Amino acid sequence: MIKRQKRPKETTKEIILKGIPAAPGITIGKAYPLYDEEMVIPRKKIEKKHVESEIVRFKKALAKTRAEILTIHKTISKEMGVEKARIFGAHLMVLEDEVLISEVIAKLKRDKLTVEYIFLEVLRKYTKILSKSDDEYLRERVSDINDVGKRILKNLLGAQHRSLEDLKKKTIVVAYDLSPSDTAMMHRGNVIAFATDIGGRTSHTAIMAKSLEIPAVVGLESVTSNVEDGSTVIVDGNRGAVIVNPSKSTITRYERDKKRFEKFEKHLLKLKNLPAKTLDGKEVKLAANIELPDDVHSVLAHGAVGVGLYRTEYIYMNRKDLPTEQEQYEAYKWVVKKISPDSVTIRTLDLGGDKFLSQFEVAHEMNPFLGWRAIRFCLARPDIFKTQLRAILRASKHGKLRIMYPMISGIEELRQANAILEDVKKELKKKSIPFDKDIEIGAMIEVPSAAVTSDVLAKEADFFSIGTNDLIQYALAVDRVNEKIAYLYEPAHPAVLRLIKTIIDNAHREKIWVGMCGEMAGDIALALILLGLGLDEFSVSPIMIPEVKRVIRAAKYTDAKKFAEEALSLSTGSEVEILAKMKLKELLPDAAIKITEG
Ligand code: PEP
Ligand code: MG
């Protein structure tokens, strides 16, 4: 549940913000800011005549907060005892603190800024002083002040609980952050773009934006403090920019760019039924990644050859219970039948990292991407894992399905997962429930230890799929969702290229095929290198299919091999990237890269 923020109207100056492009396209529309505890409150002047109404607003918010706390106090006392409710007594004391209240009012009269801005300033000053105090009692009051402060702020901002699903108008969502489950709730028709303060290019929120086919920019740092409710905003998902309060001439320029981009995309769709084959006859498989069953429409519309990654965790999100075996079976069956005769690779539940499920009380971890996630979680919860495996196996009789395990770090995990799968197969056989007995089992290679020991893994897997989103973050020690270090997140880094080469060579030595389903597979500048390294399958967001196909069809495999060798001899990611972009421009002077650059 996200809360919407209501703020006074002001400033119409054009502001250009640079961020990280998360999903392509250009949208011009009205902003819909969402309130979040982390959100920055903009510093806004008010006129002298509005000081009194700001004080009234403050007092109303205090009264509302008091009523809320009294209700909670009463309920908790009744249900859990007076002792447990004591904390709310402390909250009431903060709320009635005359010193704090008069300081806010005095500052408001003196500085003439919005009351939420002043209140937050005073609150921060108090918590800073108290947290440095030698007195333990006073230090413990910091969390009370913060809790009450957030409540008051929420009431001041007029925050209402709203679900993103319920948006009635077409809007551009602006938020400090959006979780993948928030993004999954966005109604296709009504959220026409989004922009966030934090986040990285391969965060699941960004990936979801591609699958929703809406432009998105993340990691803008200050978009929430620059946007008003209803401000006109341009989201340029190609360049990674957001323009707030654009001038008439900027709007005209962007409308032209938007048309040009859409025409270009439409033109690319002409490739839909053509194979992803190089000029000298090397054909690769160009499949699509999906998050929701509904995405299959886009897979078919963009001419993908099957699904190379079905991220099943979205079936588990935004609900209070776990999906049943039957429910999962129906979803997988629907997807496999729609995609048939092409194949669908179902990835088993990849919970954790930046994807959390409300049904599980998973303890907060310091490093969630290194924690209890994906196959680690499934091996610890065979009940949940088996339910999913049963559903996949049952669906396998309706077409060509494959199973792939996420985050395998070594052969033991692969064996353990396969042992559970064997148990499930036995159970089904016993009950005479049909399934594909020859179903292929693959390992995602996204942990460096798996990449380095891929020679061992290749002996016991039917295929590999390289998950570069995670592989890059683990190999380069760069959190994939942190915008501050996004400059270090380099798919073209020599360490990444060498790991990819190791994986592909080890797989081919054991005669198994290798796909790539991380975002790197959709990076058209790097496609030639991946082709030259011998990648057998590219699996990308459906909207990226035509562009990747165009590059492959324009290239010669013999040249790609030479280029891959050259790229491997370079010492930095930037050198590789510069060369890759140059090659791409030589190959396709009008590649989308031209449109997406400055
Ligand atoms: C990856 O890590 O590259 C991948 C495809 O999986 P996810 O993005 O879901 O972690
Ligand atoms: Mg991954």
Side-chain angles (χ1 to χ4, degrees), residues 264 523-528 547 550-551 554-555 563 576-598:
F264 174 75
D523 185 332
I524 51 170
L526 302 179
L528 285 183
E547 279 192 69
R550 193 164 85 116
V551 175
F563 178 41
V576 176
E577 208 174 307
I578 291 167
L579 192 66
K581 283 186 177 172
M582 240 171 59
K583 293 262 181 205
L584 182 65
K585 277 188 187 172
E586 271 169 33
L587 205 63
L588 296 165
D590 65 337
I593 209 155
K594 258 190 129 178
I595 294 175
T596 61
E597 268 173 6

Side-chain angles (χ1 to χ4, degrees), residues 470-491:
D470 280 316
L471 186 64
I472 297 168
Q473 80 162 341
Y474 299 136
L476 305 182
V478 182
D479 183 343
R480 66 192 261 193
V481 300
N482 187 339
E483 72 289 350
K484 293 198 178 64
I485 45 168
Y487 69 99
L488 289 171
Y489 191 93
E490 288 182 286

